[in-house]
Amino acid sequence: MAFPINGINIRLEGIRRQHHHGNTESPTPTPFNTANHTPQLSAYPSPRESEDVQRPNLALLMERKEHSAHADRVNKYRQLAIYFVMSLILTILNKFVLSNCPYPYMLTALHAASGMLGCHALLRRGYFTLSSITSAEQRTINVFSLLYTANVALSNVSLHFVTIPFHQVVRATTPVFTVLIYRFRYGEGYSRATYLSLLPVVAGVALATYGDYYYTTLGLVTTVGGALLAAIKSVATNRMQTGRLSALEILHRIGQRALLQSIVLALVNGEISDLIRIIYLRRPISLSTSALILLNGVVSFGLNIISFTANHKAGALTMSVAANVKQILTIVLSILFFHLHVGILHAAGMLLTLLGGIWYAAVTFNPDFWAVRRYQGLGGILPTRRF
């Protein structure tokens, strides 16, 4: 005998048979298939089963995220290290070249020419391709090439009206201009810890380069303008790479313009006429000087590539801080190789800048370290935004 209940037939005979064999337990209700009366497993796991399934996936997701963040930090450190090494090598090479051939604008033209020729060689070998650019992108490239040349020109001009210590102190304020550009032009800010870490970076350079501070009104204007242009150039380098143009394509496109502009500046300042006079008088250039000039061009090309990629990965402010730390490392190399004598105040400034650079790197590239300190009571120290 069977009774249909909600479409499911429960046979009383089967129940009586279970009681007859001594099984007095109530049957456990299970989902039934109304067609063949066979039990089926539920398609929805219990909340405990769902939590057990999701927990390993969440842990794996967090592990992958931490691994990706660690790899990103290592990549930034590697690129900044290469930038430091190549920048210091180029600084030493520039010093040797300018001591034998005192033509800074022709040296800038050499750097532009090496970048143009190097990018053209990479283009021929298929390392990058040229894309069709819009008129707006063309104007941006033209302005950026002018900015590149004006930055070098203004820095050289300001040295005629100020002393070198004053020039270095003003140029050390480039990170401050970078912060102001991001704040007022793009509405982007940094954490309080980042702002605090910039203080020893800037003040340390001022102490390390302390000396005879002399400047004229025109020298002050041109030096401050040069620091501002350096910050604009660093920010523009970073913002230009947020689009579809790669670093190699940007370098390739600005190379010809920068070369032409540098040659015009060299012509105006009489450097080309001096070179023509040297050639006319048949004063031979030594083989070692020629090798240094060639090596200078090669290192300059490599430095342009790594500075673009490091700027894209680490950010414009990080590159400005790196420029300040590079000034200190240049002084250290001068002490080691050129027997430069420094006082206690200069040494304290060098140490202060290096400690500020370490502090900035810890805040920018290792926020987890500062998150622990924030939990322990140093509130407001975790970066709110990273670039």
Side-chain angles (χ1 to χ4, degrees):
M1 180 177 174
F3 299 94
I5 301 177
N6 294 331
I8 301 176
N9 294 327
I10 300 178
R11 299 183 180 276
L12 295 180
E13 291 83 0
I15 296 176
R16 292 194 189 96
R17 189 178 299 112
Q18 291 178 359
H19 283 281
H20 178 72
H21 289 287
N23 186 5
T24 59
E25 296 181 358
S26 302
T28 303
T30 56
F32 277 87
N33 188 326
T34 57
N36 52 16
H37 308 291
T38 58
Q40 290 183 336
L41 294 177
S42 174
Y44 301 98
S46 64
R48 182 178 299 276
E49 291 175 349
S50 177
E51 183 179 354
D52 293 338
V53 170
Q54 292 178 3
R55 187 172 298 161
N57 294 336
L58 182 61
L60 183 61
L61 216 69
M62 293 297 295
E63 183 180 354
R64 289 178 179 176
K65 185 177 179 180
E66 291 177 2
H67 178 73
S68 176
H70 175 72
D72 185 58
R73 286 197 297 269
V74 170
N75 188 27
K76 289 178 182 178
Y77 282 130
R78 184 187 300 114
Q79 291 189 357
L80 287 174
I82 297 173
Y83 167 79
F84 272 122
V85 172
M86 297 191 70
S87 182
L88 290 172
I89 292 175
L90 185 63
T91 300
I92 296 174
L93 289 175
N94 286 342
K95 181 177 178 60
F96 279 115
V97 170
L98 290 175
S99 62
N100 294 284
C101 302
Y103 306 116
Y105 294 111
M106 288 303 297
L107 182 62
T108 305
L110 171 67
H111 294 170
S114 62
M116 181 187 66
L117 294 175
C119 288
H120 182 72
L122 294 179
L123 177 64
R124 293 288 300 270
R125 295 182 66 87
Y127 284 91
F128 70 99
T129 57
L130 293 179
S131 56
S132 58
I133 60 176
T134 63
S135 57
E137 291 173 335
Q138 184 67 47
R139 287 193 300 269
T140 302
I141 291 174
N142 291 335
V143 171
F144 186 79
S145 64
L146 287 173
L147 185 64
Y148 173 85
T149 308
N151 182 37
V152 177
L154 203 58
S155 177
N156 291 332
V157 169
S158 63
L159 285 173
H160 290 287
F161 304 102
V162 300
T163 56
I164 292 179
F166 181 80
H167 182 269
Q168 290 177 316
V169 167
V170 175
R171 296 286 288 194
T173 60
T174 302
V176 178
F177 286 112
T178 304
V179 169
L180 294 176
I181 291 171
Y182 272 115
R183 169 64 67 183
F184 294 105
R185 176 63 179 86
Y186 301 105
E188 298 175 352
Y190 296 85
S191 69
R192 184 173 63 182
T194 303
Y195 293 133
L196 292 176
S197 67
L198 294 180
L199 295 178
V201 171
V202 177
V205 175
L207 291 176
T209 59
Y210 177 77
D212 182 19
Y213 291 157
Y214 170 78
Y215 61 91
T216 63
T217 303
L218 180 60
L220 176 63
V221 172
T222 54
T223 307
V224 173
L228 178 60
L229 278 181
I232 295 174
K233 175 177 174 290
S234 182
V235 174
T237 302
N238 181 267
R239 305 295 292 195
M240 283 184 66
Q241 296 182 84
T242 57
R244 57 191 181 88
L245 299 180
S246 64
L248 289 175
E249 183 173 359
I250 295 173
L251 285 172
H252 177 77
R253 291 186 180 278
I254 69 173
Q256 297 177 354
R257 298 166 177 81
L259 175 60
L260 179 61
Q261 294 159 10
S262 301
I263 291 176
V264 170
L265 287 175
L267 184 61
V268 171
N269 287 273
E271 293 184 3
I272 294 182
S273 60
D274 288 346
L275 285 177
I276 293 175
R277 189 180 302 111
I278 290 175
I279 295 174
Y280 178 76
L281 294 176
R282 296 181 180 178
R283 295 177 183 174
I285 300 177
S286 64
L287 184 61
S288 59
T289 303
S290 302
L292 284 176
I293 293 174
L294 180 61
L295 182 61
N296 190 292
V298 174
V299 175
S300 171
F301 171 61
L303 180 61
N304 279 332
I305 295 178
I306 193 63
S307 64
F308 264 72
T309 55
N311 191 314
H312 178 59
K313 291 289 185 181
L317 181 59
T318 299
M319 299 305 293
S320 300
V321 172
N324 280 19
V325 177
K326 190 198 76 172
Q327 286 194 52
I328 301 303
L329 295 179
T330 304
I331 297 175
V332 173
L333 289 179
S334 299
I335 295 173
L336 295 177
F337 295 104
F338 302 106
H339 307 290
L340 177 68
H341 298 284
V342 296
I344 298 178
L345 186 63
H346 301 94
M350 293 162 58
L351 180 61
L352 185 61
T353 302
L354 294 177
L355 291 177
I358 295 173
W359 185 9
Y360 175 84
V363 171
T364 306
F365 299 137
N366 193 15
D368 295 335
F369 173 83
W370 296 101
V372 174
R373 266 84 186 148
R374 185 181 185 181
Y375 177 77
Q376 292 175 351
L378 300 182
I381 218 167
L382 183 68
T384 56
R385 183 173 298 175
R386 292 185 299 156
F387 296 90

